[in-house]
Amino acid sequence: MTGDPALADGLVGPEVLALAKVVARLRAELEDLEGVASMAAVLERAKGVLMGRDNVSAETAGRLLSERAARGERTLMEECWYTLGAVGAAAEPGPVGARTDLVAELPVSPFGTARYVLGTKRADEGPGGPLARLAEGLTRTGTADDVAALLAEALAGPAGVDAVLIYTEAVAGSLELAGHAGVAQGLAEQWCHIPPLSGVAALDAVAGREAVWLEDPRQDAVRYLLIGDPPGRWPSRAWLPVPGDGPVVTVVGFLRTRRGPFDAATRKLLRRAVRLCADALRVRGGAGAAEPAQEHVGEVQRIFDALSGPATLLTPVRSETGEVEDFRIDAAAPESLDVAGRRGKELVGRSVLETYPTVAGTALWDGYLDALTTGVVYEGEPFVYEEVAGGAPQRSTYSVRASRLDGRLVVSWVRHDSDERESRRLADMQRLGNLGSAGWNLVTDTVVWSDQVYAVFDRDPALGPMRLEELPQHVLPEDLPRLGRAVRRLLEDGKALDQGFRITTAAGIRHVRIVAEAQADADGTPVEVHGFFQDVTALRDAELALLASERAVLVQTGMLQAERTLAAHLQHTLLPIPQQSLELAGLCVDVAYLPADRGLNVGGDWYSAIGLPDDSALFVVGDVAGHGLAAVGTMAQLRFTAKGMAITGSALPDILARLNRLLLHTARDSGVTTATMVMGRYGPRDHRLTWVRAGHLPPLLIRDGEARYLPQPEGNLLGADPDSAYAQADLRLQPGDHLLLYTDGLVEEPGEDIEAGLAGLAVTARRLIGEGRGDLLARTLAARRPGRRDDICVVHVHLPGGR
């Protein structure tokens, strides 16, 4: 919603904004329901497999799935995937879209560790493995076809590669086939040129500079134009751009008859293979970059002299067979130090095994060799190294980084001395924020949790960190689909994760937020994940309470709006002419009624100006306490009762007394407890006005250029006291007199004394009449009150004649 210009410019009210929040919430709930529906479909399909294979009922099939999941320590959903996968593996490969291939149709669970773990050291990447064979074979390749053949041969076993296609960018963004292996010559000629069209995976890999993995034939056939005859011959494919300093101009395609996704180790192997072939593909038949000249070592040393941390430049020392036996230190930063106390340039010329003898045969040594062979930066896990200082052994923790510089290695390291105070501060911060840090090394497959993560998951620290496979057992089923998609984006594509989900604990359901990012190697393969889990249950409860409040406000606002509309219609029916002029009993009468222009409710102000059977006239102005339907209903009751009693000849004090008892009797049902009223009866023969009041403001008389309020007879407001008594007062009108009956909306102002409002009304009315503007006095006075907080009702009675 932040991108909506109408919202950004404040063109909508808070009600619409609140409604937008509800809509967004409902959309999220709909996504959850779709996820639950998809999980239910997988469960029913797995049950159907067991029913058909084992000839059991649906109920028995469901129970078998639950029992097998418990025995295998898997979730029910994982057991369903396992059952369907076993069926797919046993089926013969069929054409694309065949119903027998359930593995190709159904997604793989995103919570499987084996899908992402790379392994500490794959056997096929050691001496004599595919990368070593590639490195050796590239020295003899002369064409892109040679490179393709070499890739197909080296990766056939460990990666299941059956065919390789190499394309280079041509004119206008098209691709030309530069080399191929494992495909028929006719097919190669058919696909020798790819125009710059949408829906081609190789073009997407070049344009996006990212690998494109095609692992689901049915979906891939919808999105892309697949190479092959038939296209389903290779159910899984990968298109990897060749890395370089400039724009991507070459892309390598790996085609497999093996079904299923590429696991993390295979993806890493393919990326390394392409990276290793980068020079050969950029320069046909090139033997790679030569070792830097010896004079370049001096330039490196000058750079090292300016460094603040330890670093060394290592040159490999090879045996007669070409194997690396040791490394020679050719340059060293001033802070570099070995176990004998030699520092900086004192190390130059010495070998690694001489200065650090315990390194041989360790994971660090293997990392050096791997970085030198593949060019992939090595960043080892922190390790403990024991050294002797002052005759006493000291244990320190180091992290080492090694990167290839042409034919040498640049090695740097960091010493991690534990700081108890900082560790304590970090622990306090995590405890106070109810969050804990977590890390997962995808190379060594080790998971590390801080203490607070155990508290978030209510897990016994003795059990150790939770494995990824265990997570679905604690997450609410309806939250699993979204969490699974986020996990897959993190661990396969390296996309940062910020996701909320709910877990079940002994203390109840908790809302948890996970924020994590992946650290990738030079090939773009995620090798480590670090982030934090936070218990946001309290925050979520507050959000839900706020959402419930917003919904209640929306409902209440709608009800009030509907009530206002109904009350306004009812009021308009009772007072159909808000402004009018009429003649009654020889008097000129001007009436104005203006409702409040603030708030949602309709007020209870009202008036009557009617002729009576004895040729006299009745004038009434009333104000019912409160607003809304109840006030309008009470107003109608008082108005019609007063008119009816006046028409039958009842005395004015008796009318008020009976209205008082009526309001006291109906207050419990209507909710309206009090009302004020002023009522007068005018006789044209003697020009006498007899009037009474019930807690109402006094009438205003303007006579001979003077304005004064009439002395008020006794009379408490209606509904206040069952024993209230009402007195009557008389006034003989003279020609030229002006009399105003009004409600408090005409004179009241917040923060202002009512006496000031009455004085202002007297001054204004006298001035308007003096200026000859008395004909529409009621309407003029009402219109001079902008920003009305209350209804305004004015009845202006004028006896013509005089000045």
Side-chain angles (χ1 to χ4, degrees):
M1 299 297 290
T2 56
D4 192 328
L7 295 179
D9 294 339
L11 301 181
V12 297
E15 296 87 356
V16 177
L17 290 175
L19 183 59
K21 293 179 181 178
V22 174
V23 171
R25 184 66 180 170
L26 292 177
R27 284 177 178 171
E29 292 175 357
L30 181 59
E31 290 183 3
D32 292 342
L33 291 176
E34 290 175 349
V36 173
S38 64
M39 293 174 63
V42 174
L43 175 60
E44 292 302 318
R45 188 172 296 178
K47 288 166 62 177
V49 169
L50 292 184
M51 291 168 62
R53 188 181 65 188
D54 300 340
N55 193 25
V56 296
S57 64
E59 182 179 355
T60 303
R63 187 176 67 253
L64 287 175
L65 287 172
S66 300
E67 293 174 353
R68 293 174 182 177
R71 287 198 302 269
E73 296 183 351
R74 293 184 289 266
T75 65
L76 178 60
M77 196 53 51
E78 288 173 338
E79 183 64 32
C80 291
W81 293 125
Y82 182 83
T83 301
L84 295 171
V87 174
E92 290 295 330
V96 176
R99 300 299 296 177
T100 57
D101 186 8
L102 296 177
V103 175
E105 293 181 14
L106 298 174
V108 179
S109 171
F111 299 100
T113 300
R115 182 178 178 87
Y116 312 111
V117 172
L118 302 172
T120 55
K121 186 172 182 64
R122 289 169 53 105
D124 50 46
E125 295 184 29
L131 295 181
R133 294 198 300 273
L134 276 175
E136 181 182 357
L138 286 173
T139 61
R140 298 187 297 273
T141 57
T143 65
D145 281 329
D146 295 337
V147 176
L150 182 61
L151 286 170
E153 178 186 358
L155 301 176
V161 172
D162 298 286
V164 175
L165 297 173
I166 301 176
Y167 282 93
T168 58
E169 192 172 34
V171 295
S174 62
L175 295 179
E176 293 289 344
L177 184 62
H180 64 88
V183 298
Q185 185 62 32
L187 184 62
E189 293 176 357
Q190 179 184 353
W191 289 90
C192 64
H193 178 78
I194 299 179
L197 301 175
S198 61
V200 179
L203 288 171
D204 282 0
V206 171
R209 302 176 66 92
E210 290 185 354
V212 177
W213 307 94
L214 306 183
E215 303 167 328
D216 187 334
R218 295 191 63 180
Q219 295 184 8
D220 298 336
V222 175
R223 292 183 299 165
Y224 295 112
L225 183 64
L226 300 180
I227 296 175
D229 186 17
R233 178 181 177 185
W234 294 295
S236 57
R237 310 153 183 249
W239 292 95
L240 279 69
V242 177
D245 296 333
V248 173
V249 297
T250 307
V251 61
V252 180
F254 298 100
L255 313 181
R256 306 193 308 177
T257 57
R258 179 188 302 178
R259 296 182 179 272
F262 295 85
D263 59 31
T266 301
R267 291 190 179 200
K268 184 177 182 66
L269 177 59
L270 295 182
R271 286 192 177 101
R272 288 186 172 188
V274 172
R275 186 182 183 90
L276 194 59
C277 296
D279 290 338
L281 293 175
R282 284 195 295 266
V283 181
R284 298 289 185 266
E291 275 196 9
Q294 190 63 27
E295 58 266 22
H296 293 168
V297 174
E299 298 176 3
V300 175
Q301 182 62 61
R302 284 193 293 273
I303 295 174
F304 279 3
D305 289 340
L307 294 180
S308 59
T312 57
L313 177 67
L314 306 183
T315 300
V317 178
R318 300 181 181 273
S319 66
E320 294 180 358
T321 60
E323 296 182 0
V324 177
E325 294 181 329
D326 201 347
F327 289 90
R328 184 181 68 250
I329 302 176
D330 283 346
E335 294 187 16
S336 302
L337 181 70
D338 72 351
V339 295
R342 289 180 290 254
R343 183 182 299 272
K345 293 181 180 179
E346 296 177 352
L347 299 173
V348 175
R350 301 183 181 275
S351 71
V352 168
L353 296 182
E354 177 186 355
T355 54
Y356 305 99
T358 59
V359 169
T362 64
L364 177 61
W365 183 262
D366 292 337
Y368 284 177
L369 297 178
D370 188 62
L372 184 66
T373 302
T374 66
V376 178
V377 176
Y378 168 77
E379 293 188 3
E381 283 295 301
F383 68 95
V384 177
Y385 188 86
E386 184 174 301
E387 53 191 4
V388 178
Q394 294 184 356
R395 297 170 61 88
S396 299
T397 304
Y398 294 89
S399 292
V400 178
R401 185 180 191 273
S403 57
R404 188 174 69 182
L405 179 62
D406 294 328
R408 297 187 173 94
L409 289 180
V410 175
V411 178
S412 59
W413 59 94
V414 176
R415 178 175 177 175
H416 305 287
D417 287 330
S418 61
D419 190 329
E420 184 177 351
R421 179 180 302 176
E422 291 301 323
S423 299
R424 190 164 55 247
R425 288 178 179 176
L426 179 61
D428 290 342
M429 181 186 69
Q430 294 187 9
R431 176 177 53 81
L432 294 174
N434 207 0
L435 58 87
S437 59
W440 183 18
N441 188 305
L442 299 177
V443 177
T444 61
D445 191 20
T446 55
V447 181
V448 178
W449 277 9
S450 68
D451 293 341
Q452 194 61 31
V453 180
Y454 292 97
V456 170
F457 281 88
D458 194 18
R459 182 179 177 89
D460 185 356
L463 298 176
M466 187 184 301
R467 304 288 299 172
L468 183 61
E469 292 90 347
E470 298 179 58
L471 189 58
Q473 302 175 19
H474 303 272
V475 179
L476 264 63
E478 52 266 36
D479 291 352
L480 274 176
R482 283 191 299 172
L483 180 61
R485 291 192 293 268
V487 168
R488 180 170 293 172
R489 288 193 300 267
L490 172 71
L491 297 176
E492 289 187 354
D493 303 328
K495 306 297 184 183
L497 179 154
D498 187 345
Q499 183 69 42
F501 59 95
R502 291 166 295 173
I503 61 174
T504 56
T505 68
I509 294 178
R510 290 182 179 175
H511 294 266
V512 178
R513 177 192 181 198
I514 177 176
V515 178
E517 62 181 4
Q519 180 180 350
D521 59 14
D523 300 314
T525 302
V527 294
E528 185 176 359
V529 176
H530 53 85
F532 66 83
F533 291 96
Q534 183 178 20
D535 185 351
V536 293
T537 304
L539 177 61
R540 186 59 181 153
D541 289 345
E543 291 177 350
L544 292 175
L546 179 60
L547 180 60
S549 176
E550 290 174 348
R551 289 175 175 172
V553 169
L554 284 176
V555 172
Q556 184 66 23
T557 301
M559 294 176 60
L560 291 176
Q561 188 64 54
E563 182 178 321
R564 175 182 174 85
T565 302
L566 178 60
H569 285 310
L570 178 59
Q571 189 180 54
H572 181 70
T573 301
L574 299 173
L575 306 173
I577 304 177
Q579 297 179 348
Q580 62 176 339
S581 297
L582 62 154
E583 292 186 3
L584 288 174
L587 298 174
C588 295
V589 182
D590 182 34
V591 177
Y593 174 81
L594 293 177
D597 59 5
R598 299 185 183 183
L600 292 174
N601 282 319
V602 177
D605 291 17
W606 59 279
Y607 69 90
S608 284
I610 62 172
L612 297 177
D614 60 356
D615 296 329
S616 61
L618 178 70
F619 304 103
V620 186
V621 170
D623 186 359
V624 176
H627 297 81
L629 281 175
V632 174
T634 301
M635 175 267 286
Q637 190 178 44
L638 295 178
R639 183 171 185 264
F640 289 122
T641 302
K643 288 172 61 176
M645 294 181 66
I647 290 174
T648 58
S650 298
L652 297 184
D654 293 341
I655 294 175
L656 289 185
R658 293 182 180 181
L659 292 178
N660 181 53
R661 290 194 295 271
L662 174 66
L663 191 57
L664 287 168
H665 178 71
T666 60
R668 178 176 300 177
D669 296 331
S670 66
V672 177
T673 57
T674 59
T676 65
M677 183 186 299
V678 60
M679 179 167 48
R681 177 185 285 153
Y682 173 75
R685 296 182 181 84
D686 54 2
H687 304 299
R688 191 177 76 163
L689 177 72
T690 302
W691 67 285
V692 292
R693 60 175 285 274
H696 204 84
L697 295 173
L700 175 63
L701 176 67
I702 299 97
R703 174 180 290 174
D704 298 330
E706 298 293 332
R708 65 183 179 90
Y709 289 98
L710 300 182
Q712 302 186 71
E714 179 185 1
N716 199 3
L717 74 167
L718 303 176
D721 184 359
D723 299 325
S724 294
Y726 299 94
Q728 177 177 291
D730 293 327
L731 172 68
R732 190 175 297 276
L733 292 181
Q734 299 178 8
D737 282 355
H738 296 266
L739 185 69
L740 284 177
L741 308 179
Y742 52 91
T743 57
D744 54 8
L746 186 66
V747 293
E748 279 189 338
E749 192 68 32
E752 183 180 271
D753 188 76
I754 187 66
E755 297 298 331
L758 292 172
L761 174 62
V763 172
T764 302
R766 183 180 59 189
R767 177 173 56 79
L768 291 174
I769 292 174
E771 295 173 353
R773 300 165 62 185
D775 292 343
L776 301 176
L777 182 61
R779 281 173 259 186
T780 303
L781 290 173
R784 295 172 67 86
R785 302 285 293 182
R788 298 179 300 278
R789 297 174 179 272
D790 198 1
D791 296 354
I792 294 177
C793 184
V794 185
V795 176
H796 170 217
V797 177
H798 171 55
L799 179 61
R803 294 186 298 170

